[in-house]
């Protein structure tokens, strides 16, 4: 008897709107973008200038527009520069290459210190590929 009474009270409170259900992600507008790209980073010759090449593959069935690459170069944990490249559009399941060159005084200074034997020269890069698509 008490279980039935609790069930009726719970149904009545939900029906009147006293108890609110949590909003889903589509109602709040914070939906995550699907992951449509796969990319791999390659380094060219890296001395006082560093060439960063990125192989971008469109893994979706939609055409991607306005694809651009932002790359930040780090040597031994110190940011030494950044570069930008506009790729264009990528057809479905196609591959495009993007590349940019980082030149900075800080990079040249760290390369000189490496040649003198003072530091290691461990390069890392962080990339961000931006694109637009229409579904």
């Amino acid at each position: 008897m008490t279980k039935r009474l609790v069930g009726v009270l719970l149904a009545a409170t939900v029906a009147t709107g006293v108890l609110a259900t949590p909003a889903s992600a589509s109602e709040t507008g914070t939906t995550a973008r699907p992951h449509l790209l796969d990319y791999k980073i390659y380094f060219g010759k890296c001395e006082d200038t560093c060439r960063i090449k990125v192989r971008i593959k469109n893994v979706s069935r939609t055409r991607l527009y306005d694809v651009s690459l932002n790359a930040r170069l780090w040597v031994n944990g110190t940011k030494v520069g950044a570069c930008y490249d506009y790729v264009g559009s990528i057809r479905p399941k196609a591959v495009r290459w993007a590349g940019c060159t980082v030149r900075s005084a800080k990079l040249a200074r760290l390369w000189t210190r490496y040649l003198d034997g003072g530091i290691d020269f461990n390069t890392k890069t962080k990339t961000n590929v931006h694109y637009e698509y229409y579904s």
Side-chain angles (χ1 to χ4, degrees):
M1 178 88 174
T2 58
K3 286 184 183 179
R4 181 186 288 170
L5 185 61
V6 169
V8 169
L9 278 174
L10 187 60
T13 54
V14 170
T16 59
V18 174
L19 260 159
T21 59
S24 66
S26 62
E27 291 174 1
T28 58
T30 58
T31 58
R33 292 176 59 168
H35 187 71
L36 303 179
L37 292 177
D38 183 27
Y39 54 91
K40 186 171 180 179
I41 302 167
Y42 298 92
F43 278 104
K45 188 175 179 182
C46 195
E47 293 179 356
D48 54 347
T49 62
C50 278
R51 178 80 179 154
I52 301 170
K53 296 188 298 183
V54 179
R55 180 180 171 265
I56 304 170
K57 182 178 181 182
N58 182 359
V59 295
S60 71
R61 294 182 183 176
T62 61
R63 186 177 186 94
L64 302 179
Y65 299 95
D66 293 333
V67 180
S68 61
L69 167 75
N70 287 325
R72 295 180 306 276
L73 181 67
W74 301 77
V75 174
N76 298 336
T78 303
K79 183 178 176 183
V80 294
C83 61
Y84 171 83
D85 187 25
Y86 179 75
V87 180
S89 62
I90 303 177
R91 292 181 296 124
K93 306 292 182 185
V95 173
R96 294 283 302 264
W97 284 86
C100 58
T101 304
V102 176
R103 292 182 211 105
S104 69
K106 189 182 286 187
L107 179 62
R109 195 168 45 248
L110 288 175
W111 178 251
T112 305
R113 286 182 59 199
Y114 168 71
L115 290 177
D116 292 339
I119 61 169
D120 290 334
F121 200 76
N122 301 324
T123 58
K124 293 182 182 169
T125 185
K126 296 179 182 179
T127 60
N128 183 17
V129 179
H130 180 265
Y131 57 89
E132 297 290 329
Y133 71 98
Y134 306 103
S135 55

